[in-house]
Amino acid sequence: MRDGGVGDARLSLSVFLPRVNLGPSGFPSLAGYAPPCIIIASREGYVAETKFEKGSEVASRRKFLSLGAALGGALTACSDSGEPVPDEGPKRLGRAPNVYGERSPFEKEARRGAASKYPETGATRTPLQDSHGIITPSSLHFERHHAGVPAIDPAEHRLMIHGMVERPLVLTLDELKTLPSVSRLHFVECAGNSRGEWTDKKGATAQDSHGLASCSEWTGVLLSVLLEEVGVKPEATWLVAEGADACKMQRSLPLDKCRDDVIVAYGQNGEAIRPDQGYPLRLVVPGFEGNINVKWVRRLMLTEQAAMARDETSKYTDLLANGKARQFSFPMEAKSVITRPSGGQVLAGSGFHEISGLAWSGRGLIERVEVSIDNGASWQDAELQEPRHRIAFTRFRLPWTWDGAETVILSRATDETGYVQPTEQALLAVRGANSDYHNNCIKAWKISGDGRVTNV
Amino acid sequence: MFSRIRALVLGLGVIVLLLGTGLAQSPHYKVGSAPSEEQLKTWSITILPDGTGLPEGKGTAAEGKDVYDRRCSECHGNKAQGADSSALIGGQGSLAGPKPLKTVTSYWPYATTMWDYVNRAMPFDTPGILTNDQIYAVVAYVLFLDGIVEENQELNRETLPKIQMPNRDGFVKDDRPDVGPTAHTPNR
């Protein structure tokens, strides 16, 4: 299975590229190995053949690469007799260790965002369709900023906690790091994830439709520890958090949640949080809509009223059919999406395929994911990857033998509270068409007879 | 001799302890320091809906027109009707219809929110350049454009929180789960 978009040439997946070594430049080199010929094959059959002769290695390599690039890279190496050449093993040294790792130049997955007149208030989405397991690499964690990514010197950064407290406190990053710490896996999902899917199906890929969700291991201090240190006064019921970005992003959090599982985090996936994720310090508010996980956090103020900030009134409120809007609609409810096969991909042919996807719930553990391979007529339980984590991505898998006929595949998650991921019609019936945040409806992918997967 | 050393050690200990409590504020882990008055004042920019936090200053719509035209119109339109960025006025009465227009004047429940937001985030590309008087004035101007305040009505820390925004009672609490077996109000 690969991305589509190579015109109509459907390429065979019997790929033999056994000897692509990394040269000193970091680019693929075929040194020491010259396949006598390369066959570019399509489903329709034989397409092109190129002879490689001894002594013309550079020229033939260039030809090899450009042909591969032009046709999407499905190449078959063979001898004159047409048999694949066995791998002889590398004959050249690879590159020496380096101080900070990079992925293979062959890997191209990237975040994607829409072009905008004001790119500083914009988003990029995680390529969920290419993800493995449950962790999103920090470099691919989705972004949503409202005033750009600030460049913060951690030595200068301070966290101030004040308001209705006994002892207002200013903490340095070093001080925070001396406090008892936790590391927990949590997803973060923008309340606007899948907004373009509401009453319309705009996203061609799982990245477009669901890519404003990502999952990391976050390390930091529980906010409850800090609240003990400052001594919250009994009148306080809210905590107003503020970031150090240019718009000084501000959100109000209910104090109960702050005393429960909120993390003041400085670590992500084993290293410092990335600048675009809030370096050097952010809130992780497990299961609550992304915007409230205030990045670059620098101030926490205890109050007895919510701030009624712009991003909890004008935005991130859910306008219902009667013209009233739900406010402080924090939890991201149970949701799932099949990432393979998903929009934009092409099944190479009938036969075995693993259906795989991600499920998550802001209310706790995922208990069950059902998959339908017949557009909802019947459902089967998918296997859940263990160990499962609360309020984190859960990978599900289902072995599937495709008969080659057109069909629609769906997934449906159930969380530990018994909540079942709803259909879009069910949500529309209670919310009306104007409520487009918090869209967690069941996602369908259509598989055409030619193997193409599209959003329906 | 022995007792003198002991006294010295004890004395040093007391000094360290005193210094320690001066610097380390937190009771359990002895970290952090108390913010200075200055820091508390400059950092505490949150404006609560009852007006808590609003600074001295004043402005009217008549004064705000100039601020708006120079600082806001390029992105939000010459009459705040929207341009490259969103409309700030219009849409009253549209919220229950098929094409709701959510603006400051049709949707926002509190005028204090606009003061707070403009103070922290606008103009988008140069936040923080407006004076308190200019913010009172530009808020007054936008509200005036949609008939919420009079042209010469002065907005200040007393009057701003008293403005009754049209959609003040337009918000309800989150009653999800709203569908399925765990819904709070099944089959509504």
Side-chain angles (χ1 to χ4, degrees):
Chain A
M1 198 185 311
R2 351 165 265 99
D3 280 355
V6 201
D8 284 323
R10 300 282 325 293
L11 299 171
S12 138
L13 282 176
S14 49
V15 179
F16 288 90
L17 267 179
R19 296 297 314 280
V20 179
N21 302 329
L22 279 189
S25 65
F27 284 100
S29 144
L30 294 172
Y33 172 69
C37 74
I38 290 168
I39 291 175
I40 316 287
S42 80
R43 184 173 267 189
E44 287 73 46
Y46 174 92
V47 171
E49 182 172 346
T50 307
K51 286 256 176 213
F52 280 86
E53 314 220 309
K54 278 209 172 100
S56 66
E57 189 193 303
V58 173
S60 55
R61 182 174 77 208
R62 203 175 288 135
K63 211 164 179 184
F64 176 98
L65 288 173
S66 65
L67 257 170
L71 286 158
L75 307 174
T76 301
C78 62
S79 67
D80 283 339
S81 65
E83 294 297 308
V85 176
D87 185 349
E88 292 162 13
K91 288 192 176 126
R92 232 181 221 194
L93 293 176
R95 65 147 180 75
N98 59 6
V99 293
Y100 196 82
E102 270 179 39
R103 65 178 171 177
S104 157
F106 293 98
E107 298 301 318
K108 301 294 182 212
E109 294 81 50
R111 297 189 291 216
R112 276 177 37 180
S116 147
K117 174 110 200 250
Y118 308 112
E120 297 87 355
T121 169
T124 61
R125 292 156 187 268
T126 296
L128 294 179
Q129 66 278 10
D130 301 314
S131 68
H132 307 295
I134 58 174
I135 300 287
T136 309
S138 304
S139 51
L140 294 175
H141 192 292
F142 84 87
E143 304 170 275
R144 174 73 176 101
H145 319 304
H146 288 262
V149 178
I152 296 176
D153 176 350
E156 300 291 315
H157 194 76
R158 297 286 181 276
L159 177 68
M160 179 164 96
I161 312 175
H162 69 119
M164 291 182 161
V165 299
E166 304 292 345
R167 298 168 292 275
L169 208 58
V170 176
L171 295 153
T172 65
L173 210 65
D174 285 343
E175 287 170 328
L176 283 164
K177 287 182 182 168
T178 65
L179 298 177
S181 61
V182 295
S183 290
R184 292 179 184 169
L185 259 63
H186 288 304
F187 76 84
V188 179
E189 181 182 18
C190 178
N193 198 22
S194 310
R195 216 176 168 190
E197 304 300 293
W198 188 244
T199 70
D200 200 355
K201 300 285 165 265
K202 294 211 186 76
T205 66
Q207 178 167 23
D208 301 330
S209 65
H210 287 69
L212 293 177
S214 307
C215 184
S216 291
E217 186 199 66
W218 302 101
T219 297
V221 188
L222 282 176
L223 179 50
S224 57
V225 170
L226 299 179
L227 294 180
E228 283 296 311
E229 294 299 277
V230 295
V232 176
K233 291 189 175 162
E235 315 88 85
T237 47
W238 291 88
L239 178 145
V240 181
E242 184 178 285
D245 47 348
C247 65
K248 303 176 194 72
M249 174 56 66
Q250 170 181 253
R251 286 295 304 259
S252 311
L253 289 81
L255 189 55
D256 288 350
K257 179 69 175 176
C258 299
R259 287 196 161 120
D260 182 13
D261 58 359
V262 175
I263 306 171
V264 179
Y266 43 77
Q268 179 185 12
N269 296 332
E271 61 181 353
I273 287 178
R274 295 270 165 130
D276 47 63
Q277 295 309 320
Y279 183 83
L281 206 59
R282 77 172 300 170
L283 293 188
V284 174
V285 187
F288 278 24
E289 61 188 12
N291 180 264
I292 207 166
N293 293 250
V294 174
K295 294 183 285 193
W296 315 291
V297 66
R298 72 163 197 168
R299 190 166 70 90
L300 304 172
M301 180 174 73
L302 282 295
T303 63
E304 52 182 348
Q305 50 188 316
M308 298 292 168
R310 179 263 191 160
D311 286 287
E312 58 205 27
T313 52
S314 171
K315 307 293 174 196
Y316 308 110
T317 48
D318 310 293
L319 185 56
L320 302 172
N322 63 3
K324 301 277 181 199
R326 278 188 192 133
Q327 194 182 20
F328 304 122
S329 42
F330 298 125
M332 300 307 294
E333 299 186 293
K335 186 165 174 177
S336 67
V337 61
I338 294 170
T339 53
R340 268 197 338 256
S342 64
Q345 297 171 340
V346 183
L347 297 185
S350 58
F352 178 80
H353 296 279
E354 181 179 73
I355 293 179
S356 168
L358 293 165
W360 60 95
S361 167
R363 294 204 181 90
L365 281 174
I366 288 294
E367 281 299 338
R368 181 181 195 192
V369 178
E370 298 156 282
V371 168
S372 174
I373 51 164
D374 52 15
N375 201 11
S378 64
W379 295 85
Q380 322 172 41
D381 279 308
E383 187 196 320
L384 303 182
Q385 175 177 309
E386 298 286 352
R388 287 169 289 143
H389 298 261
R390 289 186 72 250
I391 313 186
F393 278 0
T394 296
R395 173 68 62 179
F396 62 89
R397 298 181 171 96
L398 183 77
W400 178 44
T401 304
W402 183 40
D403 61 8
E406 176 174 313
T407 188
V408 171
I409 59 172
L410 318 164
S411 64
R412 179 167 73 188
T414 302
D415 71 17
E416 64 176 303
T417 70
Y419 178 89
V420 182
Q421 185 182 4
T423 61
E424 184 179 36
Q425 296 88 306
L427 289 177
L428 273 168
V430 292
R431 298 180 186 177
N434 292 339
S435 170
D436 53 1
Y437 290 112
H438 301 106
N439 175 13
N440 65 325
C441 73
I442 290 172
K443 176 86 214 87
W445 300 114
K446 179 177 152 188
I447 299 174
S448 306
D450 63 0
R452 269 166 212 284
V453 189
T454 49
N455 190 353
V456 286
Chain B
M1 182 63 188
F2 177 69
S3 70
R4 238 200 271 162
I5 290 176
R6 215 164 63 174
L8 194 75
V9 169
L10 245 165
L12 275 174
V14 167
I15 290 168
V16 167
L17 249 170
L18 283 174
L19 271 175
T21 49
L23 297 171
Q25 291 294 311
S26 79
H28 307 108
Y29 298 106
K30 312 292 179 210
V31 290
S33 53
S36 66
E37 279 307 308
E38 182 64 20
Q39 188 172 16
L40 270 173
K41 223 180 106 201
T42 47
W43 281 37
S44 303
I45 57 170
T46 298
I47 312 299
L48 296 173
D50 67 2
T52 305
L54 277 171
E56 298 287 347
K58 60 179 170 29
T60 64
E63 294 155 0
K65 181 178 187 318
D66 174 57
V67 180
Y68 184 87
D69 289 348
R70 284 188 297 115
R71 298 291 190 190
C72 324
S73 62
E74 167 201 350
C75 301
H76 292 287
N78 61 347
K79 287 274 177 235
Q81 76 283 16
D84 287 331
S85 193
S86 52
L88 304 179
I89 64 162
Q92 287 186 49
S94 72
L95 298 179
K99 286 220 178 319
L101 179 59
K102 295 189 252 179
T103 68
V104 175
T105 52
S106 72
Y107 195 57
W108 293 28
Y110 298 96
T112 47
T113 303
M114 184 169 172
W115 205 101
D116 175 275
Y117 182 68
V118 172
N119 180 47
R120 60 179 69 233
M122 288 295 134
F124 180 71
D125 46 356
T126 52
I129 56 162
L130 301 184
T131 65
N132 292 344
D133 284 353
Q134 286 175 322
I135 300 173
Y136 280 112
V138 82
V139 169
Y141 179 64
V142 169
L143 298 182
F144 160 73
L145 287 176
D146 220 359
I148 296 172
V149 301
E150 303 292 331
E151 193 165 6
N152 290 309
Q153 188 176 333
E154 181 184 300
L155 293 191
N156 55 43
R157 61 197 294 182
E158 303 298 328
T159 56
L160 179 75
K162 297 205 178 89
I163 292 170
Q164 187 69 20
M165 296 293 275
N167 198 39
R168 171 70 182 80
D169 299 321
F171 293 84
V172 294
K173 76 179 202 343
D174 183 14
D175 59 349
R176 296 172 306 150
D178 50 359
V179 291
T182 60
H184 283 149
T185 46
N187 310 319
R188 98 175 85 181

